[in-house]
Amino acid sequence: MERTTQLGTPSLEKTSGWINGFIGVVIFSGSLPATRLAVLEFDPVFLTVIRATIAGALALCLLWLFRERRPARDQWLSLLIVALGVVVGFPLLTALALQYVTSAHSIVFVGLLPLATAIFGVLRGGERPRPVFWIFSVLGSSLVVGFAISQGLTASPTGDLLMLAAILACGLGYAEGAKLSRTLGGWQVICWALVLSLPVMAVLSVWLAPASLSGINVSAWMCLAYVSLFSMLIGFVFWYRGLAQGGIAAVGQLQLLQPFFGLALAATLLHEHVSVGMLVVTLGVILCVAGAKKFAK
């Protein structure tokens, strides 16, 4: 498989990065609604380890099928950071949070992901966006924080704190994976991170498995399949490639669109109430993406 992202010209490469990033965001938008449905039937810790086990087994098959070389010794630490951030940290923390808050409420916190990803892109990826970029990024994130404060955190302080921790873990995992994708390849990064986690996750899956699975609804099984295949693997194939091609900070701003898609899914599939405040915040962070994109370099 091709390791580089040479598409002929830098402009075409950046365009491809935004397209891949957008596809990844669309796929990720279904993660929180699907997790919300799944935790109604599955224990959140079991859900975290079983989805990683399923995705890890598939990743192992893909690496074997394409006869991928093993990562270099100095790449394993980055893969461990990716695994802790997006294979373990974000899925577990969001699953725990969704026991206390609705998916519609938690989705608004996803508006903080672009800022977290951009910050870790600077710290871990060596990127240097222009100062005006940070104004738009902070503005979008401030709208999200302001919304949470306006709710008085009465929905659940525990749920909100868990979501904030999940965002930090995810931002680090995104930035680290994007940096590594430049040399290892986008789909290879998530596959190796999943395989690195597989031994522990597989053992925990067996240990934490419920005594009986007969009472699990079909919808919960479908949601488990979605978060295992799409949220944990397929979405990252597009997302890491997009971040590597178009820049971590720049393409990362596409995550500002994720609350919009997620709220639509929460209202349509889960029949959850989407307040006017949620819509206003979502619209505000979406408007910020244009300015952030323009001044990313």
Side-chain angles (χ1 to χ4, degrees):
M1 298 292 292
E2 184 97 352
R3 290 293 194 285
T4 62
T5 56
Q6 297 177 357
L7 299 177
T9 66
S11 61
L12 285 176
E13 183 172 340
K14 288 184 179 180
T15 299
S16 178
W18 282 88
I19 293 173
N20 282 311
F22 180 79
I23 295 173
V25 166
V26 172
I27 293 174
F28 291 150
S29 296
S31 298
L32 290 178
T35 301
R36 171 66 173 173
L37 280 176
V39 295
L40 296 177
E41 303 285 342
F42 295 106
D43 175 80
V45 179
F46 173 72
L47 177 65
T48 300
V49 297
I50 192 61
R51 65 188 280 188
T53 299
I54 295 171
L58 180 57
L60 184 61
C61 292
L62 289 174
L63 291 170
W64 175 83
L65 180 64
F66 290 103
R67 291 181 168 83
E68 287 296 311
R69 60 177 175 81
R70 295 181 62 185
R73 181 177 299 178
D74 60 351
Q75 293 176 325
W76 285 107
L77 177 59
S78 290
L79 285 171
L80 178 61
I81 294 174
V82 172
L84 292 175
V86 302
V87 177
V88 181
F90 185 76
L92 177 60
L93 291 168
T94 52
L96 292 172
L98 287 167
Q99 292 185 306
Y100 301 95
V101 298
T102 67
S103 63
H105 184 84
S106 65
I107 284 168
V108 180
F109 282 83
V110 177
L112 290 169
L113 259 179
L115 179 59
T117 303
I119 291 173
F120 285 117
V122 170
L123 296 176
R124 300 294 301 174
E127 296 193 349
R128 294 294 182 268
R130 293 164 63 180
V132 181
F133 163 85
W134 294 107
I135 295 177
F136 286 102
S137 187
V138 170
L139 178 60
S141 299
S142 297
L143 288 172
V144 176
V145 175
F147 171 78
I149 294 175
S150 71
Q151 304 299 299
L153 298 181
T154 55
S156 172
T158 301
D160 287 341
L161 288 174
L162 286 168
M163 281 304 305
L164 287 172
I167 294 305
L168 290 175
C170 193
L172 174 59
Y174 280 172
E176 194 71 26
K179 181 188 71 172
L180 191 56
S181 295
R182 297 166 183 165
T183 55
L184 188 60
W187 72 271
Q188 292 91 340
V189 167
I190 188 58
C191 282
W192 282 113
L194 286 166
V195 168
L196 183 62
S197 309
L198 184 57
V200 174
M201 293 300 181
V203 171
L204 289 175
S205 295
V206 175
W207 184 36
L208 298 174
S212 175
L213 298 174
S214 59
I216 306 298
N217 293 331
V218 174
S219 60
W221 286 113
M222 293 177 63
C223 290
L224 173 59
Y226 186 90
V227 296
S228 300
L229 301 180
F230 289 90
S231 302
M232 291 295 294
L233 182 57
I234 298 174
F236 279 103
V237 173
F238 293 99
W239 184 240
Y240 278 148
R241 184 171 176 81
L243 290 175
Q245 290 176 324
I248 299 171
V251 176
Q253 298 305 301
L254 281 171
Q255 294 165 110
L256 291 173
L257 299 173
Q258 191 168 330
F260 176 79
F261 296 131
L263 289 174
L265 287 171
T268 303
L269 301 180
L270 304 181
H271 306 291
E272 292 185 354
H273 174 66
V274 178
S275 68
V276 174
M278 289 179 183
L279 293 176
V280 170
V281 170
T282 301
L283 178 61
V285 295
I286 289 173
L287 292 177
C288 289
V289 74
K293 176 180 180 295
K294 182 177 181 180
F295 296 103
K297 294 294 184 181

